[in-house]
Amino acid sequence: MTNEEKSKFERLLDQEADKFLIIKQKTREGIMEATAGLSRRAFDDGEMADLNHRLAVNTGLCQSSDQILKKIDMAKQGIKNGTYGQCLNPLGNSACEISISLRRLEAVPWEDKCLSCQKEEERSASEEQFLKKEKRKVITGN
């Protein structure tokens, strides 16, 4: 990766970090707003369900933003130490280290896996989810 490309991605990562910091701030405000009147009045079941839903959505958005911000920080470190753009998916005792395509990095600049490793990870997660479901069926008899 050229120095010009590194600078471009560093700017892109900074822009994305700013976006996710704003999202995180707004979701925190949403959580505070949703919980502000909790102790002041009684809620019926519908209001409580709505409040729980808003809290769950805002908490999820905040957690997702935190995860992406951590990945952005790791990507910026990768630019500094020369590993940015290389797949960091662990394979045994080493990492894949295949170059991630520039198109993929332009779309998701904090990406740390090549496309084939990402697909493999998703396939493994799907299989794991399927096996858990099947195990539950055996245990419950359904």
Side-chain angles (χ1 to χ4, degrees):
M1 184 174 293
T2 67
N3 286 337
E4 186 178 306
E5 288 170 328
K6 288 178 186 178
S7 295
K8 170 187 161 186
F9 283 111
E10 199 160 17
R11 285 190 306 275
L12 192 55
L13 287 163
D14 286 339
Q15 291 169 355
E16 293 297 318
D18 289 344
K19 288 179 193 175
F20 283 100
L21 286 169
I22 290 168
I23 290 170
K24 188 175 171 181
Q25 178 62 35
K26 287 185 179 194
T27 56
R28 282 187 175 158
E29 289 170 6
I31 290 169
M32 292 179 69
E33 180 183 305
T35 58
L38 276 180
S39 61
R40 287 188 240 134
R41 69 183 201 56
F43 290 93
D44 65 25
D45 288 343
E47 290 173 315
M48 206 56 183
D50 179 59
L51 175 66
N52 285 334
H53 175 73
R54 287 190 295 151
L55 284 173
V57 167
N58 282 317
T59 301
L61 283 171
C62 201
Q63 289 171 345
S64 294
S65 294
D66 279 340
Q67 290 172 347
I68 292 171
L69 286 166
K70 285 177 186 172
K71 284 188 158 208
I72 289 172
D73 284 342
M74 290 173 56
K76 289 165 78 174
Q77 277 301 116
I79 290 173
K80 288 183 177 112
N81 67 28
T83 60
Y84 182 72
Q86 294 176 356
C87 181
L88 301 177
N89 193 39
L91 299 172
N93 294 330
S94 62
C96 173
E97 295 183 355
I98 291 175
S99 291
I100 300 169
S101 74
L102 291 179
R103 263 182 84 190
R104 185 165 170 78
L105 290 172
E106 286 169 350
V108 185
W110 58 85
E111 187 58 70
D112 61 356
K113 292 180 194 73
C114 66
L115 192 55
S116 61
C117 285
Q118 180 70 37
K119 285 180 180 179
E120 178 61 27
E121 185 178 279
E122 289 170 2
R123 187 191 61 73
S124 294
S126 293
E127 284 179 5
E128 188 175 315
Q129 192 175 25
F130 173 77
L131 291 173
K132 283 181 183 178
K133 192 175 180 182
E134 291 301 308
K135 184 177 178 182
R136 222 176 293 128
K137 283 181 184 177
V138 169
I139 293 170
T140 61
N142 292 332

